[in-house]
Amino acid sequence: MKALILVGGYGTRLRPLTLSVPKPLVEFCNKPILLHQVEALVKAGVNHVVLAVSYMSELLEREMRVQEQRLGILISLSHEKEPLGTAGPLALARDLLNVDNEPFFVLNSDVICDFPFKDLLQFHQNHGKEGTIVVTRVEEPSKYGVVVYESDSGRIQRFVEKPQVFVSNKINAGMYIFNPSVLSRIQLRPTSIEKEIFPIMAEEGQLYTMELQGFWMDIGQPKDFLTGMCMYLQSLRLHAPERLHTGPGFLGNVLVDPSAQIGENCSIGPNVTIGAGVVIEDGVRIKRCTVLKGSRVRSHSWLESCIVGWSSSVGQWVRMENVTVLGEDVIVNDELYLNGANVLPHKSINESVPEPRIIM
């Protein structure tokens, strides 16, 4: 089986992290975002993954060659010369996807959830039509495009963009499965699958939907990245609690790479991910944060709702909060306060940032 993952964007919403690394390779809960998806696809029987790429693709290609070997699958890169939207990449990769007349998966690269690929394949084969999209329930449907469908069969009736009166609380979760016949609907030009292809398929009775069980998050921006981390760690608590770190000073769901070092009298958690080679000195308090590979947090600092980029250094007695994001190799000097700061890579911060802003 095959799958196409749309990884062509510039990742602007996840800056400053994506100034150093393509977004699919940013570690989410100590594993590149893309690998969460690829490994779930492999478990469901996918042996050929096509990545629709445009930006920083050399780095991605290098990493994918390593993963190809490790997972024993084929990973192809399909290069966009111009942005092709969400449907154009399917036309560009037509020759790779349309080989053996089997259905193939398509997914957005920003999505994290308990990936239901086996169930999705089964459901798709059972109804026998051209496409199936996964939907997820949201609290605030007026911010999204919602999907209206028959509750008994799953057949989609229509799509409503940002409804002002309630019509449905189910939204497109960015995961699909199609028969190869869908490729004849798409031309090689910038095209939106959601706005141009899906409505026609629904009108013809060729598009069905399966509701996702469990959590779902689009982790394409820092605030949502942290919310998605909390959801993912809670899912680990339910399905693989042995992967979480426990012991004195650890509260709630905490994921720690075995190579990290943590000092005395720390309070870590709830909802914290600590990456490879990270050093946390004595008396540090961290909650609802991701600390990426090779960073150091010096003694008695206090971090809440932050992402600390690779190889960064947070000084002593520092306080950081309110979705502060440090890019790669940032130095925060001692005794500073950072409130919602977005710090670009290779900066040294010498004074407090009391109001949210970008430090260039």
Side-chain angles (χ1 to χ4, degrees), residues 90 94 97-98 101-104 124 128-131 178-186 197 201 204 206:
L90 278 74
R94 182 178 278 122
L97 298 171
N98 196 12
N101 212 29
E102 275 192 325
F104 58 86
H124 179 74
K129 298 295 193 238
E130 198 169 57
F178 300 121
N179 295 343
S181 56
V182 79
L183 296 167
S184 63
R185 297 177 180 273
I186 304 169
I197 308 299
M201 290 173 72
E204 294 174 9
Q206 288 294 332

Side-chain angles (χ1 to χ4, degrees), residues 72-134:
I73 61 167
L74 181 61
I75 300 178
S76 306
L77 273 65
S78 173
H79 290 265
E80 294 179 22
K81 297 283 185 286
E82 57 164 342
L84 290 171
T86 47
L90 278 74
L92 187 63
R94 182 178 278 122
D95 294 346
L96 293 170
L97 298 171
N98 196 12
V99 180
D100 40 23
N101 212 29
E102 275 192 325
F104 58 86
F105 295 105
V106 175
L107 49 159
N108 294 343
S109 66
D110 293 349
V111 170
I112 194 78
C113 63
D114 292 325
F115 295 106
F117 296 128
K118 276 187 177 155
D119 294 346
L120 180 55
L121 174 61
Q122 185 72 59
F123 178 82
H124 179 74
Q125 287 170 331
N126 288 349
H127 68 66
K129 298 295 193 238
E130 198 169 57
T132 308
I133 76 177
V134 178

Side-chain angles (χ1 to χ4, degrees), residues 321-326 338-343 353 355-357 359:
E321 62 186 346
N322 189 22
V323 197
T324 286
V325 185
L326 307 184
L338 273 61
N339 172 27
N342 236 345
V343 186
V353 183
E355 297 294 328
R357 64 187 177 96
I359 314 293

Side-chain angles (χ1 to χ4, degrees), residues 7-15 18-19 21-23 54-56 83:
V7 294
Y10 287 104
T12 48
R13 295 183 305 149
L14 201 52
R15 284 180 181 164
T18 47
L19 295 170
V21 166
K23 182 171 58 180
S54 60
Y55 169 66
M56 282 168 103

Side-chain angles (χ1 to χ4, degrees), residues 74 116 187 192:
L74 181 61
Q187 294 174 358
S192 162

